[in-house]
Amino acid sequence: MTKVIVITGASSGIGEATATLLAKNGAKLVLGARREDQLKAIVQAIQEQGGEAVYAVTDVTKQEQVEALKELALSTFGRVDVWINNAGVMPQAPFMAASVQEWEQAIDINVKGVLYGITASLPVMARQKAGQIINIASVEGHHSHVGGGVYSATKYAVRAISDSLREEMAQMEGNLRCTVISPGAIQTELVGTVADENIKSAYEDFYRSHGISAERVALTIQQAIDLPEDTAWNEVVMRPIKQVL
Ligand code: NDP
């Protein structure tokens, strides 16, 4: 069956690579993010390759916009088979910097955005008696370091939320699946959003020498979707082989 797949944060990096790969392999895509020009170009590229995709400008910190993204999927394609909560930011600064606005933004996007995605998609999947929610966490949801406390906290939260969601889905009728993908260093625009210039430049050096492409994550997501419907990878931790932590 052709799957209808919603991706948040689809305007660059992992979201874009995943949309491109899944569309190439026949899925119908519904893409959300804030940058409309990027979304428009990605949808156009998919259509030029013979694929099917639509987009809606979506800020995942606004629940009504996440709901509207779901409505677009239902009105265009009639169902939601996979919902990928991918939108995220990566604040990096020591607590002494008191970057309160960055903390709030990260919690709103990385945690509340995921919750809004679950709230939008789970009732649809319950009705369908089938569906998969894929949440993007991080290896930094498994450990923390100086400057990364808030980012790690958001990704630990994604894992906690997903574990609870998995148990809830297991008790529901049909085949409802939850998968967490926790990547290591992936070459995307994410590091560009780090405000502290010293930390940013250290990250850039590391990502340049060790990072792998977003297509690697896209491939892993495709594999998680392709598993038999009664089976799920609950979490995949993946990283470049030379990345130690
Ligand atoms: P990018 O910066 O390339 O992509 C982030 C995406 O999130 C963009 O499409 C951006 O789009 C979107 N986004 C940010 N804020 C919002 C918002 N408020 N509402 C909707 N969309 C938003 O980075 P990645 O592809 O690397 O990041 C994707 C996910 O992967 C994130 O959750 C990140 O934490 C995670 N991750 C990344 C790793 C890496 O090394 N790159 C490692 C581990 C996890 P727009 O600005 O247009 O809204």
Side-chain angles (χ1 to χ4, degrees):
M1 186 192 73
T2 302
K3 290 196 168 172
V4 177
I5 301 179
V6 180
I7 306 179
T8 69
S11 61
S12 62
I14 293 168
E16 176 181 1
T18 303
T20 304
L21 180 71
L22 297 178
K24 196 173 126 209
N25 292 335
K28 297 174 178 177
L29 271 300
V30 181
L31 309 182
R34 294 166 304 177
R35 286 171 294 173
E36 184 164 19
D37 287 355
Q38 305 270 120
L39 289 174
K40 209 181 261 180
I42 294 163
V43 163
Q44 198 179 334
I46 288 173
Q47 289 168 345
E48 280 167 9
Q49 300 291 314
E52 281 188 77
V54 292
Y55 75 86
V57 173
T58 309
D59 181 339
V60 296
T61 68
K62 309 265 191 295
Q63 189 181 8
E64 66 280 6
Q65 294 187 16
V66 178
E67 288 292 321
L69 187 64
K70 170 193 72 181
E71 291 303 333
L72 176 67
L74 292 177
S75 60
T76 312
F77 298 123
R79 51 190 292 121
V80 175
D81 296 296
V82 182
W83 183 290
I84 306 178
N85 286 307
N86 166 73
V89 290
M90 186 174 73
Q92 295 288 323
F95 290 113
M96 285 297 284
S99 314
V100 176
Q101 263 187 327
E102 274 196 351
W103 302 344
E104 285 175 345
Q105 190 198 33
I107 291 164
D108 284 351
I109 297 170
N110 297 8
V111 181
K112 288 164 73 177
V114 169
L115 292 172
Y116 295 153
I118 293 169
T119 306
S121 58
L122 189 58
V124 178
M125 294 177 185
R127 259 198 320 272
Q128 296 169 175
K129 299 187 174 49
Q132 183 173 19
I133 295 179
I134 299 179
N135 295 326
I136 308 300
S138 171
V139 295
E140 296 196 26
H142 288 260
H143 65 86
S144 196
H145 57 83
V146 173
V150 174
Y151 181 64
S152 282
T154 67
K155 295 304 188 179
Y156 274 84
V158 169
R159 293 181 54 233
I161 290 164
S162 303
D163 212 24
S164 168
L165 175 63
R166 180 188 63 75
E167 288 195 12
E168 191 171 331
M169 287 172 134
Q171 292 165 4
M172 293 165 78
E173 214 184 318
N175 291 328
L176 276 77
R177 307 190 285 177
C178 177
T179 298
V180 177
I181 307 286
S182 288
I186 311 297
Q187 286 161 345
T188 66
E189 296 177 11
L190 195 68
V191 174
T193 62
V194 175
D196 182 298
E197 284 304 327
N198 290 330
I199 300 177
K200 183 173 165 177
S201 122
Y203 260 98
E204 279 171 347
D205 287 348
F206 181 74
Y207 273 57
R208 235 189 325 268
S209 59
H210 288 75
I212 52 175
S213 80
E215 282 72 25
R216 302 290 187 272
V217 185
L219 185 62
T220 307
I221 291 173
Q222 176 80 71
Q223 290 169 328
I225 293 171
D226 287 344
L227 285 176
E229 298 287 329
D230 61 359
T231 306
W233 286 341
N234 298 128
E235 182 171 8
V236 179
V237 182
M238 54 174 295
R239 47 161 80 75
I241 55 171
K242 297 296 183 191
Q243 181 177 356
V244 175
L245 263 183

